Each structure stands twice: as structure tokens, then as C-alpha cells.
Amino acid sequence: MTRRITIFDTTLRDGEQSPGIALRPDEKAEIARQLERLGVDVIEAGFAVSSPGDFEGVKAVAAAVERPTVASLCRTRKEDIDAAAEALAGARRSRIHIFLATSPVHMEKKLRMEPEEVVEQARWSVGYARASVDQVEFSCEDATRSDPHFVARVCCEAVRAGATTINLPDTVGYCLPSEYAEFILEVRRLCPELGSVTLSVHCHNDLGLAVANTLAGLQAGATQAECTVNGIGERAGNAALEEVVMALEVRRSSFGLKTGVVTREIGAASRLVQQLTGYAVQPNKAIVGANAFAHEAGIHQDGMLKDAETYQIMDPAQLGLVMTLPLGKHSGRHAFARACAEAGIQLDGEALAKAFRRFKQLADSGKNVTLSDVFEEVVLA
Ligand code: KIV
Ligand code: ZN
């Protein structure tokens, strides 16, 4: 049986926490509309109390979308929850997302709170938020560096106070996938109440493991994945939505999990987020990088021209992307002839051999070769 998981997109909140990104309310609304087309279930629009601009950003997203739930982040403070509730008032479906740290280092050094105070704050804030909205998510910040018994206790209190989603983040990207899965299983065991709510995973990429940890958490029974388009986010970023979704899609029989994401909208979502945030993805980024479906080596190009399954595990057209056979030092005669034909240059026999030799000479010199470089000389010769 395939279990449907919830995709909680936090591009507009954790993603926007990337240094240098500041989205205007109209830009947040534009991204939110694309996220709706993409089919995400929840859009975390911002942290309403953090600035007047973010308050307006949450409001703009709440007004822009119809189907997805719109969320705003809050600390366990009345003013945060009131601001979030006000900014979300225009949303069809809204969620207040409250976080409070549970790890010794955060409680002692940052919050300067005793564990009992943390339990009490969690209980109080969830109860207070529940009076304003139907959906309340509670996150145990830095959960993975916390005592699982304490995390379970906080979770149980939050569920009893009315939380509808509990999130167990790997806030500092410290966990290994096997450890994260064990942690999730242990907290589920210690707090059976989690069986009656959505259980969420939220992973950061400090060790490059955010996607692997997210998938491990889902395999351990989590029912919601928090991620961002292109993996943008605090420090090294969050789990990339497109990678999580496509891993679940391509390996569906291994995971037995599915999402509501419309995969053909992935390319457009990635491009829009790059354009409005100014954060370009690296060429070799999985799924959405410029090279993710580019085949340069001659043997690969030959294989691809015979059957795309030789070197591709996904069809780029299903992601709103295209396969390319860029011409370079390692390219072969087949791809070269194809590129010529596509440019309206029909060559065979000695003419093709001559042009191909010239192409290889130019490519060997380290230049980025175009067909006009090759034919300028061949035609003139
Ligand atoms: O990484 C984190 O712990 C967070 C929480 C606010 C959910 O972003
Ligand atoms: Zn985070």
C-alpha cells in the first residue's frame, strides 16, 4: 500500500533565512501561487511578528492561494501568536507553527529556561494558538540533540494541548540517517499520542545529509516532510523539495510513499525561486541543475540517442525540463552530426569527418565550441 505524505514547503520562511534574501510581499505571493500549482500541501509564508514586511508577506500569501494551508512561524509568545493569527486571517486554511528548543545547550545557553518551564511554555502556547486556528504545529527545536525522553514528554503535552502536527527537526544538520530514523522511532515509542497527529521531519544540510535524513525520517513513520525549493535555507540550507519528491517518485516501490506534487511544475518553481531570490543553483545540482539532464561524453550521448533509459532515471519532460547533449571535448560523432542536422546542416562522408576533426581540435583547446566556430572555418576552407 502507498502512503500519502504531506509536503510542507518552507521556502518563504526557512528558505528566506538564507543570507541576502528578502522577498517583498508581492514576490512571496508570486512564489506561493507557483507552489500551489506545484501541489504542495502547506506553505510556510514567513514569521509574521519578525518585521512589518514579513507580516504583510504572510498576509499576501494567505490572500494569494486557495488550496494549500498557509502557516506562520511563532515563538511561544502571545504577541507572536496574535500577529500570526492576524496575518493568517484571510487564509482558507491556516496553521500556527510554534517552536521551542528542547536540547540542553539551547535551554541552558540560549533560552536560559529550566526543562519544566519549556514543558509549560509548550503546553500554554499550543493551547493559546488553538483558540485562533484549527491547525497548530509544534516544533521541538534542536530535537536531535535533545534527550528523546524529554522530547517525548514535550510532544505529549503539546498533543494534549491541541497540537495537530509535531515536528522533530534536525536543526543543526548533525544526524546521520540511521540515527535520525532511530530517534523518530524512539520518540514515537515513548509518546504513543503521536499516532493521532501528523508527525513531521525538518532537516538541515550542514553535512549534506538533509535529503537522506528526511527520507530516513519518513521511512521511520513520519507523515510530513518540510523542505524548500532548490534546498535554500539557513546556513547550508534545508532538504531540497525536488530531491525528496523525486526520490519518493522514482523509488516508489522501495518507499511505498507518495506526495501530491505535480512534478512537471518543478522546473518552473526552481526557476522562479532562483530569479526572485538571486540564489542560482549550481550546475550539477540534482534534478534542477543545468547539467542534471546534460550528457557530454560521446559514449553517453550515443547511448542517449539510442535509448534515454541508458543514462537517465527520470524523464526531464515530466519535470518541465529538457535533456541536452552539449558539445564538448568528450562528445562523439553521433551527437555532433545530430547537432548539425538540428541546425539545418546536413553532412555525411568526408564533409562530416572534416567538420568533426575541426570540432575536436577546437574543443581540445579548452574553448567552449559552438557550431558557428566550426563552420566558419570549414565553410571558408
Ligand atoms: O530548523 C529548525 O529547527 C526550524 C524550526 C523553527 C522548525 O527551522
Ligand atoms: Zn529549519
XYZ file of all heavy atoms in Angstrom, residues 16 19 24 26 53 178 188 199 261 313 332 335-336 338 354 371 380:
135
model
N 13.922 31.779 3.096
C 14.214 33.216 3.078
C 15.242 33.595 4.139
O 15.822 34.685 4.083
C 12.918 34.018 3.269
C 13.047 35.437 2.721
C 12.038 36.411 3.311
O 11.478 36.130 4.382
O 11.821 37.464 2.681
N 21.206 34.106 3.952
C 21.737 35.467 3.953
C 21.512 36.164 2.615
O 21.758 35.578 1.561
C 23.233 35.273 4.208
C 23.351 33.922 4.815
C 22.196 33.096 4.312
N 9.791 40.639 -1.197
C 8.670 41.562 -0.966
C 7.373 40.743 -0.893
O 7.310 39.631 -1.449
C 8.549 42.562 -2.121
C 9.705 43.545 -2.255
C 9.291 44.633 -3.267
N 8.693 44.058 -4.467
C 9.345 43.817 -5.604
N 10.627 44.116 -5.709
N 8.724 43.298 -6.647
N 4.686 40.953 -2.601
C 4.178 40.534 -3.919
C 5.021 39.389 -4.479
O 4.522 38.510 -5.191
C 4.127 41.715 -4.903
C 5.492 42.321 -5.149
O 6.152 42.717 -4.175
O 5.930 42.378 -6.317
N 7.273 43.928 7.191
C 7.295 43.384 5.827
C 6.903 41.916 5.819
O 6.177 41.460 4.929
N 20.665 6.903 9.791
C 20.243 5.803 10.672
C 19.900 6.333 12.066
O 18.959 5.861 12.711
C 21.338 4.742 10.766
O 22.533 5.358 11.207
N 8.431 8.104 18.897
C 7.088 7.535 18.645
C 6.731 6.488 19.696
O 5.601 6.411 20.160
C 7.037 6.874 17.267
C 6.988 7.873 16.120
C 6.947 7.146 14.785
N 5.774 6.310 14.638
C 5.664 5.307 13.785
N 6.671 5.011 12.984
N 4.577 4.595 13.706
N 3.132 13.670 11.986
C 4.497 13.704 12.538
C 5.432 14.179 11.419
O 5.484 13.593 10.333
C 4.906 12.316 13.040
C 6.332 12.226 13.601
C 6.527 13.180 14.781
C 6.631 10.790 14.049
N 2.613 16.246 -5.184
C 3.336 17.207 -6.018
C 3.141 16.907 -7.504
O 3.204 15.757 -7.941
C 4.839 17.235 -5.636
C 5.676 17.974 -6.670
C 5.002 17.894 -4.263
N 17.379 8.232 -15.195
C 16.404 7.509 -14.374
C 15.085 8.265 -14.260
O 14.148 7.799 -13.631
C 16.974 7.211 -12.965
C 17.383 8.513 -12.259
C 18.134 6.223 -13.042
C 17.680 8.346 -10.775
N 30.838 12.840 -28.991
C 31.109 11.918 -30.099
C 30.501 12.387 -31.409
O 29.746 13.366 -31.451
N 26.478 12.693 -31.733
C 25.862 13.915 -31.171
C 26.235 15.121 -32.019
O 25.419 16.040 -32.209
C 26.320 14.122 -29.736
N 27.454 15.124 -32.545
C 27.883 16.233 -33.398
C 27.016 16.287 -34.661
O 26.495 17.342 -35.046
C 29.366 16.087 -33.746
C 29.876 17.167 -34.653
C 30.081 18.463 -34.177
C 30.129 16.902 -35.996
C 30.539 19.472 -35.017
C 30.570 17.901 -36.837
C 30.780 19.194 -36.349
N 24.088 15.081 -35.087
C 22.709 15.429 -34.716
C 22.577 16.934 -34.525
O 21.622 17.560 -35.006
C 22.342 14.695 -33.427
C 20.947 14.965 -32.919
C 20.770 14.178 -31.634
N 19.413 14.175 -31.168
C 18.996 14.894 -30.123
N 19.835 15.672 -29.487
N 17.750 14.820 -29.737
N 35.528 15.832 -41.749
C 36.374 17.024 -41.697
C 35.857 18.007 -40.620
O 36.630 18.523 -39.801
C 36.348 17.705 -43.074
C 37.325 18.847 -43.204
C 37.301 19.367 -44.643
C 38.080 20.680 -44.730
N 37.845 21.387 -45.962
N 28.735 25.571 -33.039
C 28.783 25.111 -34.427
C 29.291 26.218 -35.344
O 29.990 25.961 -36.329
C 27.397 24.659 -34.884
C 26.937 23.304 -34.318
C 25.605 22.925 -34.922
C 27.968 22.212 -34.551
N 34.682 28.207 -44.948
C 35.645 29.091 -45.619
C 36.796 28.337 -46.252
O 37.422 28.815 -47.180
C 36.192 30.114 -44.609
C 35.160 31.131 -44.101
C 35.776 32.054 -43.059
C 34.571 31.951 -45.245
